[in-house]
Amino acid sequence: MISKAIRSVFTFGLAGFYAVASPLTADACTRFVFIGQDDNVVTARSMDWKYDVGSNLYILPRGIERNGEAGPNSLKWTAKYGSVVTTGYDVSTTDGANEAGLVANVLWLTESEYPKFEASSKPGLTIAAWAQYVLDRFATVAEAVEVLKTQPFTIVTDNVPGQDRLTTLHLSLSDSSGDSAIIEYIDGKQVIHHGRQYQVMTNSPTYDKQLALTSYWQDIGGTVMLPGTNRASDRFTRAAFYVNAIPQSGEPNRLLASVFGVIRNVSVPLGISSPDQPEISSTRWRTVYDHKRKLYFFESAMTPNTFWVDLNKIDFSKETGKVKRLDLGTDQAHTFSGDATADFQDAKPFPFQGL
């Protein structure tokens, strides 16, 4: 039985939780960075959504010319680094890693409010290409943050494909050194949390409030109890405890197995959803990136196998590299096994959704 002392602490914690995270809060996905010994750094994320997110994998070489898809006043750039990415609806980059070891993930954040995009604004960048922009341009988190702090663009958002609601996201970055950054737009202003301590990211509430909630649970200790629902703050707390409780040294494959155990622990079983909140929903897929070995793992909830893409085997050069696509099928139900790098097929670049 739970002692009276623990029960009172638990009740207080729930009261604090609901004061910060209202029932209308929208949640989706979990991301964390494992920082082990001997340069073993692994980034993992889950994608939680009620509907099929239309995800496929793409290989994107260097040298691709892009623009922010925001009309005449659009940001323009050329891809300096090649990348492997997972799309959303084949109109956005939701997750990926570049050849230099930088990983970018976008997750839902209902509280996001972006600056107004006007004729006098800095060049526009569609939110669909936000993650791709950093993968194309930067090798490290520090390098990306240094540029993002200058706010060289204005984020432009649009409705989620097939839904009458704006896309509201925040961005996480991690690299081979274990450095990490969380970028949000709150009340129209960019907020950046930068440092190795920012290992975990989920969704609502805003990141500063999630850090406060996690500090509360740390005082209790994860071996006593951990919150178990699929809400963002509970998933944040579990991931924050387990990512540092699993072995920090050992054979790379065993460490990887532990990381998979954590991302599965914070996943939501297929078939669970909230009727009016498609983001509080089933985990559709998971990705795990081994920064040291440059292996990008993908695991669909609909298939029995985990497979990976070996970035060491890919020609990312501008001269001979090709855009390639791995067709995951409806609900990501196509089955691949082991090293699937050779299973990609030549393809056209997917178009980023914009204005």
Side-chain angles (χ1 to χ4, degrees):
M1 296 180 60
I2 301 176
S3 70
K4 290 183 178 180
I6 291 179
R7 189 183 299 116
S8 64
V9 169
F10 180 63
T11 303
F12 174 80
L14 286 180
F17 170 84
Y18 286 112
V20 177
S22 74
L24 296 178
T25 297
D27 308 334
C29 316
T30 305
R31 165 270 195 192
F32 65 83
V33 183
F34 168 78
I35 306 173
Q37 297 178 11
D38 301 321
D39 299 321
N40 284 302
V41 176
V42 182
T43 299
R45 75 85 52 88
S46 62
M47 168 60 79
D48 301 352
W49 199 252
K50 181 177 181 180
Y51 310 106
D52 177 17
V53 289
S55 296
N56 292 291
L57 298 187
Y58 279 79
I59 292 172
L60 303 172
R62 304 172 213 132
I64 297 177
E65 302 285 341
R66 303 195 203 280
N67 74 80
E69 302 296 343
N73 185 24
S74 290
L75 185 70
K76 293 179 174 60
W77 74 95
T78 302
K80 181 179 179 181
Y81 301 101
S83 57
V84 172
V85 304
T86 302
T87 64
Y89 302 99
D90 264 8
V91 297
S92 67
T93 293
T94 63
D95 190 88
N98 71 16
E99 59 182 312
L102 182 68
V103 167
N105 331 90
V106 289
L107 281 70
W108 195 264
L109 180 64
T110 298
E111 291 86 349
S112 299
E113 184 179 337
Y114 306 102
K116 291 183 179 180
F117 183 54
E118 304 169 324
S120 60
S121 299
K122 290 186 177 181
L125 172 64
T126 171
I127 198 168
W130 192 13
Q132 192 62 54
Y133 170 78
V134 296
L135 291 175
D136 284 349
R137 291 206 53 200
F138 308 113
T140 66
V141 172
E143 184 183 346
V145 168
E146 191 64 27
V147 172
L148 294 178
K149 285 192 301 186
T150 69
Q151 302 189 57
F153 53 77
T154 303
I155 284 287
V156 179
T157 190
D158 198 359
N159 284 350
V160 177
Q163 297 187 40
D164 186 22
R165 61 187 309 185
L166 282 178
T167 303
T168 52
L169 306 170
H170 53 173
L171 173 70
S172 68
L173 305 177
S174 52
D175 63 27
S176 302
S177 73
D179 197 8
S180 187
I182 311 297
I183 300 96
E184 299 179 337
Y185 282 87
I186 308 300
D187 296 326
K189 297 181 180 179
Q190 179 181 250
V191 178
I192 298 178
H193 302 269
H194 178 209
R196 287 165 61 93
Q197 69 271 33
Y198 302 119
Q199 289 177 266
V200 180
M201 168 177 160
T202 53
N203 321 100
S204 302
T206 54
Y207 200 67
D208 57 338
K209 294 178 181 178
Q210 291 220 6
L211 292 174
L213 287 168
T214 302
S215 177
Y216 161 78
W217 282 104
Q218 285 176 341
D219 289 340
I220 296 177
T223 56
V224 176
M225 74 170 79
L226 284 170
T229 79
N230 64 338
R231 299 184 69 94
S233 295
D234 285 10
R235 289 183 278 110
F236 189 109
T237 300
R238 295 201 305 278
F241 170 74
Y242 283 121
V243 73
N244 291 301
I246 59 177
Q248 306 293 295
S249 64
E251 195 271 326
N253 283 343
R254 293 187 67 86
L255 295 178
L256 196 67
S258 294
V259 170
F260 265 103
V262 178
I263 197 62
R264 290 166 181 154
N265 178 277
V266 294
S267 296
V268 182
L270 194 66
I272 292 180
S273 64
S274 299
D276 299 324
Q277 295 173 272
E279 320 79 38
I280 305 181
S281 192
S282 307
T283 296
R284 292 281 168 171
W285 47 258
R286 291 171 284 268
T287 61
V288 174
Y289 184 67
D290 184 329
H291 290 262
K292 186 175 183 179
R293 295 185 291 177
K294 295 188 176 182
L295 300 177
Y296 185 76
F297 292 83
F298 189 94
E299 182 177 69
S300 170
M302 292 293 293
T303 63
N305 295 329
T306 299
F307 67 88
W308 64 88
V309 182
D310 188 342
L311 274 70
N312 299 290
K313 297 179 179 179
I314 297 174
D315 179 6
F316 287 114
S317 69
K318 177 181 178 180
E319 295 74 22
T320 57
K322 296 181 179 180
V323 175
K324 295 190 174 187
R325 179 175 184 258
L326 189 66
D327 181 5
L328 300 180
T330 302
D331 289 319
Q332 298 76 58
H334 289 174
T335 300
F336 299 92
S337 181
D339 186 349
T341 312
D343 294 325
F344 282 74
Q345 302 296 317
D346 292 353
K348 295 181 179 180
F350 61 89
F352 288 99
Q353 178 177 318
L355 296 183

